[in-house]
Amino acid sequence: MLLCIDIGGTAVKLGLVTREGKILARHEASVCFDGYATPILTTVIREGQAFLAREGAAGRIEGVAISATGQVDDELGAVIGTNGKIPHYEGAQLKREAEAAFGVPAEALNDANAAALGEATFGAARGCHDVLMVTLGTGVGGGVVLGGRVYGGARGIAGELGHFTLYQDGEPCPCGKRGCYESYASTTALVRAAQAATGEAQMNGRIVFERAAAGDSVMLDVLDRWIGDIAAGLTGLVHIFNPEAVLIGGGVSAQEELLIAPLRERVLCGVMPRFAEGLRVLRATLGNDAGMLGALRFFEQKQQERRLRKNSGEI
């Protein structure tokens, strides 16, 4: 049994999870209750210890598996970048502090990468070795699983799928660039486009989909252009990674008829024929559990890797 921890920008989710991915107990707590005056990692460890005590699991866990927002060096298990968005978080030594606090091995990786690995192991893409996951929300997150393992690049921070350039002279992005995929494929971008098309300031994703479902031609046009931008980015990513499955996460992924089905059609028609063979475009199914379950799988893979390296004399 492992303590699995999923650290977000506003809350932390904790679970006692078996090696088979069964969640035995859960807990959630705010990490921004005092405006981040208390560092996130301090809150996480305190909540984790209280959770274990409450569940009678103190001293019984085999490890700590951490999924965390931000750029996470997955070898060091440390947060090495946040774009300055969260005070007292960049530099957090997730692995080291968790091992000291709980007395067992710990591993950490980025939350979007963890979600992709969770879906590939336990969710919609179970059984697939090569998976691309894109989460549409306030921004665009994502992760890439190749050969059954998260592709993290040189430092474990690959997979920033929201920040490749879709339009060279496009909208400014908070990351400092222009025309990023996130600026066009996020639900924030959808709402912004709907506001511009209607002149209505009070707008959200629910209203867009409700009106589109009722046949509103303006909203259907807004959705069509938005889905076109999502598909354009996914088509390029499919050509780069050649996945078996493309997974769409985020609250809007529940919109099968208005989003997933037309997006699937555009991607399958947009990629070169051989890339479309066997390719599935699906809704992610694990929801809020994806990060914890992906962290569990990553923990097992990373611990095995460390044992092999130790036995070979590399570490």
Side-chain angles (χ1 to χ4, degrees):
M1 180 174 65
L2 273 70
L3 172 63
C4 292
I5 300 173
D6 186 17
I7 304 171
T10 59
V12 59
K13 293 180 285 290
L14 303 102
L16 289 174
V17 189
T18 68
R19 296 276 184 170
E20 295 73 35
K22 182 179 181 181
I23 301 176
L24 304 174
R26 304 170 185 269
H27 175 64
E28 184 169 339
S30 171
V31 296
C32 60
F33 58 91
D34 60 359
Y36 303 105
T38 302
I40 284 181
L41 186 52
T42 301
T43 300
V44 167
I45 289 174
R46 182 186 66 229
E47 292 291 335
Q49 290 172 329
F51 173 55
L52 292 179
R54 218 166 31 246
E55 296 297 328
R60 293 173 47 211
I61 59 171
E62 302 169 75
V64 179
I66 305 170
S67 158
T69 187
Q71 296 165 5
V72 180
D73 184 316
D74 62 12
E75 179 64 25
L76 297 175
V79 179
I80 60 174
T82 64
N83 295 325
K85 292 181 179 178
I86 305 176
H88 310 127
Y89 184 57
E90 189 165 335
Q93 298 290 326
L94 306 173
K95 172 180 168 62
R96 186 179 70 196
E97 294 298 323
E99 289 179 339
F102 298 104
V104 291
E107 300 290 351
L109 79 165
N110 166 266
D111 55 353
N113 288 342
L117 186 58
E119 291 285 352
T121 308
F122 300 103
R126 187 169 187 168
C128 294
H129 292 90
D130 301 288
V131 177
L132 173 68
M133 180 170 172
V134 175
T135 301
L136 309 176
T138 304
V140 171
V144 180
V145 174
L146 299 177
R149 304 178 75 91
V150 166
Y151 176 69
R155 300 195 67 184
I157 60 175
E160 286 283 358
L161 302 185
H163 296 285
F164 64 85
T165 302
L166 191 63
Y167 295 104
Q168 188 170 353
D169 298 314
E171 297 283 342
C173 179
C175 78
K177 293 174 57 195
R178 299 187 71 92
C180 284
Y181 189 46
E182 177 171 291
S183 297
Y184 294 88
S186 63
T187 54
T188 302
L190 172 65
V191 171
R192 185 173 61 243
Q195 288 172 327
T198 62
E200 298 177 29
Q202 299 301 314
M203 183 62 64
N204 57 46
R206 179 182 54 79
I207 294 172
V208 173
F209 281 101
E210 284 180 353
R211 291 189 187 176
D216 185 312
S217 61
V218 173
M219 290 308 180
L220 285 169
D221 182 61
V222 167
L223 267 182
D224 183 69
R225 285 184 281 115
W226 182 61
I227 291 170
D229 282 336
I230 299 171
L234 290 179
T235 299
L237 291 170
V238 167
H239 285 150
I240 294 169
F241 294 110
N242 184 208
E244 298 165 84
V246 174
L247 302 182
I248 308 300
V252 293
S253 67
Q255 298 287 340
E256 174 66 30
E257 183 178 348
L258 290 170
L259 172 59
I260 302 300
L263 179 59
R264 179 185 297 120
E265 181 179 1
R266 290 200 188 194
V267 171
L268 293 178
C269 290
V271 297
M272 290 184 278
R274 292 300 186 191
F275 286 84
E277 292 177 357
L279 177 64
R280 294 183 289 163
V281 180
L282 306 165
R283 177 178 69 88
T285 58
L286 294 178
N288 290 333
D289 293 338
M292 286 196 294
L293 294 176
L296 167 71
R297 179 62 174 150
F298 181 77
F299 176 91
E300 293 175 332
Q301 292 178 335
K302 200 68 175 177
Q303 285 289 296
Q304 181 182 39
E305 177 189 314
R306 292 186 193 279
R307 285 193 295 271
L308 290 173
R309 290 167 57 195
K310 184 176 181 181
N311 291 339
S312 67
E314 290 184 41
I315 57 174

